[in-house]
Amino acid sequence: MTKLSPLSLALSATLSVLLVGCSTSDSTTNRPRLGDVRAFDYSILQQDAPVTEQQLAQLYQQILQLEPAAQTRQKIQYRLSQMQTAALDKAEYSPEEESEQLQQLIAQYQQLLSQYPTDPNNELIRYQLARSYDLLGLQQQCLEQLDLFLLQYPQSGFAPEVWFRKADIHYSRSHYADALDAYLQVLDSKVTELVQHARYMSGWSYFKLQQFEQADEQFLHVLDRSYSGYLADAGLQQSLQQEVLRTLSVSLSYQQQGDSLQALLRRVPYYQAERPLELVETLYRALAQFLTEKQLLSASLDTYRLFISDYPATLAAARLQLLLIEHYLADADAGRAQTEQQRYISLFGYQTAFWQQASGAELTEVAPLLLQYLDYFSRKQYLSAQQQTGESQRQAYSAVLPMWQQMLSILAEPLLQQSELPQQYSSTDLRYLLAESYVGATLNEQALALYTELGYQPLPGKVSLFSAKDAAYKALLLADKLSLAYQDNGARLWQQQSDFVRVHSEHSAAQQVALQQLQQRYNGAHYAEVIAHSSSVIHWPHPAQTNATYVLEARFLHSQSELALNQYASAEASISALLNNSRTELGASRVQQLTEQLASSIYQQAQQPQLADADVLAHLARLLQTLPDSSYHQAAAYQQISLLHQAQQFTAVIPLLKRFIAQYANSERYLPAKALLLDSYEQAGQWGDAAAELLQLASSSSDGQQQREALYLAAQYQHKAGDSDGALNSYRSYANRYPQPHLLAQEARQQLAKLYQQKQDKYRQNFWLDKITSFEQQFAAEGNDRSRQLAAEAALALARHESSLYSAVRLGHPLRSSLAKKRQHMTVAIKRLEQSMQYGIAGLYSEAQFRVAQLYQQMATALLQSDRPKGLDELALEEYELLLEEQAYPFEEQAIAIYQQNTRLTQQQLWDDWIAQSFAQLAALLPAKFDKTEQYSEVADDAF
């Protein structure tokens, strides 16, 4: 009897399904059976025994005849069944004998299961019973036992093999859904020997159920594993791969062909890091070939395109792209063939992702086709461009440029230098064609560089399209053309001309080219080189060809370059020589230019930083005296003034400034000169003159801010000069015209009050003090500590004035009229004092509060000291005095309260004479409370 291991069973099942999937035959001959599954390993039951198994079986039979205990009998029966199973596995029987033995075993297994349904060995018995049915070819009975086994022992170690056999039976009966469920159970078991085969069969089950995407996934998993060589038999593995590829291609053809394959590969990850490109290519090729066999040519080509799109940087993509080209060429479709050739260039050409990572062998395979395609398309495009005009021609030349460039890059590739490609194409001719195309595309910079290389460097390899002289001449012409369009290209033109003269000195235009070179150097501000090279034109080595006009122009450029390089002494000498020796040839306009430049050279010598001021002044004086009509006269005169001003020679500079201002009233230096004159007046202490300048500026300037600032400063300078009336006028004008900015206006009003105080004009003094207080209230938001200080002082000053008027009123008869007058002054004074107090200025606050109290105290005293009416008897006089006391008492009480309030300022760490006087007044008014020296001393100590 032949016995199969589980792995052999799985492989046998796989091959049997291959037959089922690929053939219409329903034959099940040679199909694996449960009996082929690995037999139970009896080694775990074997013990060393001195007898053979046959002897041991006979012994067990004898024991059973003795009717042993039930438990012993059960163990012997199970032992005998396993021994008979083992004997059957080892023996060689004919089919008939084997069938008879199996039927006997089945009867024993059934009897044991019936007699001992709970025996723990029934798992093995049930397994062997199913196996025996399978060996007899009784699939239905086998399937029933398999189901019972899985129901009773779902976690058994035999479960994966049982599921696999169950799936195999269902599949053979075309019960694909049931087979799929069983195969998936095997996949979940993770039993290595069975999983791959179950995966393959689950793929076929999905396929039979027309669930193609799921089938594709399982087939792909099988291919992934088979690609890694999981089968030891290489022939069997290759056969499996071919069959799965074929089956997968069939499945994909029922779907979206290449798109479905692309989606499948993206959907199913490789079991390791990344799916091998060779496997992916194999999948795409297999599908494309299958589609070709089925005459689905468009879908086949699209499949190649999908691979190329997903893997453009691979040699495999290049090979598949070549298949597309070959297909269209074989089909005589030149248009599509050329389109695919252009795509070949774009995908695998120079600087593509493929080129950047390709090996030398890969480049060697791809490069010949690239050059072949590029050469064809570039020459075709070049001929087309030559036949066009205008913008279309420029665009045509632009289109051919990248083709020439790519050919040159490929030929220069280091990895290809050992091949024969560089010898098959002339890089030099290609470079010339590239330069010609640059010109046609109006890319003159690139063309110039390339013509220059071809004209002045050795030409390697074979050359058939041009000569070095042709390229050099075209480079010169192109450089000249660029110099007309772009002024910054003069230096490059000079180099082209220089090279041309050096290499082709026999040319008749050589001296003219050398002069043009000199002019270009001058225009490019390369003055040192003009000076160095001018002699090559002035002293031309071929006297017979010397042109005097060229020589004179070279001398002129030489002088101009010296001037530009600040070589002023040399420039003065060169210009003087030109004016003295060639005045007629130079012409009037150039003579005038050189004369002005002569003045410039003298002026610039005065500007040298290393010169002492005395030497600078000497140069300036020479220029001012010898060339008075020069355009440098104004600048020289102003510089002379500035130097004297810096030297603080203010007395000397003032008359020069007056003369300059008178002569150049319309100059841009006029206002700076006026400013210097003002500063000179200030530095010289000539305040009156400075004020006059400022007043003139204030009256003439159109700038309102400048007018205002000048007027204010003029008032200050008039004050410094002792011109009080002028200062009054200026401050008054300022205060009346410019209420803003508020702070400066307040300062002006303060100065007016002081000036009127000096003039003892009390009325106007108080007028401006009142303006200070009223404007501070009006513009309180714009005030600061200084403006509030001024307002508080002004209010206090006005209060003092009103208090003096109050004190001057004596209470007499009639009392009512004199008292009303005194009260009026008192009210105004208190209002002013309160106005001062509201700013909270410490020193002023205590004084104002003291003066308020003093006003109340004085009113009480004035009432008591007022005149008594005449003609009163003694009693009436006494009553009158009592009435006066009643009137005076509230004023005294109010005074005391305010004095006390003033003394409480000590609690805020304040102390001054007004607080001290408040204490003194309280000591006089309330001696019992305040006439205590030690207490006052303590308060004073606390304040400080």
Side-chain angles (χ1 to χ4, degrees), residues 750-852:
Q750 174 72 4
Q751 292 298 325
L752 284 167
K754 286 183 178 180
L755 288 170
Y756 281 119
Q757 183 182 16
Q758 293 173 5
K759 288 181 173 292
Q760 298 182 354
D761 188 339
K762 199 68 176 179
Y763 173 77
R764 289 182 174 81
Q765 177 189 359
N766 288 344
F767 173 83
W768 289 108
L769 289 173
D770 182 66
K771 289 289 185 183
I772 291 173
T773 59
S774 61
F775 274 99
E776 186 63 26
Q777 290 179 342
Q778 183 179 353
F779 299 102
E782 301 176 23
N784 62 5
D785 291 343
R786 171 62 179 168
S787 67
R788 288 189 284 274
Q789 173 84 21
L790 294 178
E793 290 177 350
L796 188 58
L798 290 170
R800 293 192 196 103
H801 173 70
E802 202 65 36
S803 296
S804 66
L805 296 177
Y806 163 82
S807 298
V809 177
R810 186 177 182 280
L811 297 180
H813 280 286
L815 182 60
R816 182 182 298 277
S817 61
S818 61
L819 182 59
K821 185 176 181 181
K822 195 172 185 70
R823 277 181 177 277
Q824 181 182 1
H825 286 301
M826 179 181 180
T827 299
V828 174
I830 290 175
K831 180 180 178 182
R832 290 295 187 183
L833 290 170
E834 289 175 344
Q835 188 178 13
S836 176
M837 291 169 61
Q838 75 179 4
Y839 293 108
I841 308 301
L844 303 179
Y845 185 92
S846 59
E847 179 184 354
Q849 191 162 243
F850 176 84
R851 289 186 180 278
V852 172

Side-chain angles (χ1 to χ4, degrees), residues 395-639:
Q395 293 178 0
Y397 276 118
S398 298
V400 79
L401 290 175
M403 302 181 196
W404 300 129
Q405 292 168 337
Q406 190 166 177
M407 289 186 71
L408 288 169
S409 298
I410 293 172
L411 291 171
E413 170 61 48
L415 296 177
L416 297 175
Q417 296 310 303
Q418 300 303 318
S419 68
E420 298 180 358
L421 286 176
Q423 287 72 42
Q424 295 175 2
Y425 295 86
S426 172
S427 296
T428 306
D429 281 343
L430 287 173
R431 291 166 67 200
Y432 181 77
L433 290 171
L434 177 60
E436 293 282 277
S437 300
Y438 276 139
V439 174
T442 67
L443 297 175
N444 295 324
E445 295 288 345
Q446 294 89 328
L448 176 59
L450 196 48
Y451 277 139
T452 302
E453 291 179 11
L454 296 171
Y456 296 103
Q457 293 182 5
L459 302 178
K462 57 183 179 180
V463 180
S464 60
L465 300 179
F466 72 103
S467 66
K469 180 178 180 180
D470 297 334
Y473 185 68
K474 288 190 175 185
L476 179 59
L477 293 179
L478 191 54
D480 184 56
K481 179 180 178 181
L482 289 175
S483 69
L484 297 176
Y486 304 100
Q487 295 180 359
D488 59 342
N489 285 337
R492 183 169 53 192
L493 175 61
W494 186 91
Q495 185 63 50
Q496 287 288 338
Q497 293 167 336
S498 178
D499 292 341
F500 187 77
V501 170
R502 174 174 52 82
V503 177
H504 307 287
S505 60
E506 72 284 357
H507 199 281
S508 59
Q511 188 182 22
Q512 182 180 6
V513 172
L515 180 61
Q516 290 173 353
Q517 172 194 3
L518 202 64
Q519 184 68 53
Q520 287 284 20
R521 277 296 186 187
Y522 180 79
N523 293 341
H526 301 288
Y527 305 117
E529 295 186 19
V530 171
I531 294 172
H533 291 85
S534 60
S535 61
S536 65
V537 178
I538 296 171
H539 308 290
W540 188 247
H542 307 287
Q545 299 179 8
T546 299
N547 189 309
T549 303
Y550 298 159
V551 173
L552 181 61
E553 187 65 20
R555 291 184 184 279
F556 175 77
L557 292 175
H558 183 94
S559 67
Q560 300 304 296
S561 298
E562 289 176 331
L563 200 61
L565 290 173
N566 302 333
Q567 299 175 7
Y568 300 114
S570 299
E572 182 180 0
S574 298
I575 293 171
S576 297
L578 281 168
L579 290 173
N580 293 334
N581 301 325
S582 306
R583 183 177 292 268
T584 302
E585 293 81 358
L586 288 169
S589 61
R590 184 158 284 187
V591 168
Q592 182 179 359
Q593 175 188 357
L594 289 171
T595 301
E596 189 66 20
Q597 289 178 341
L598 182 61
S600 171
S601 64
I602 298 173
Y603 175 76
Q604 294 299 337
Q605 289 179 63
Q607 309 308 311
Q608 302 306 305
Q610 70 274 15
L611 289 181
D613 288 348
D615 296 330
V616 174
L617 288 170
H619 281 300
L620 294 174
R622 180 162 66 92
L623 173 59
L624 293 172
Q625 292 172 4
T626 57
L627 295 168
D629 297 329
S630 135
S631 61
Y632 288 88
H633 185 276
Q634 181 189 147
Y638 190 81
Q639 185 177 6

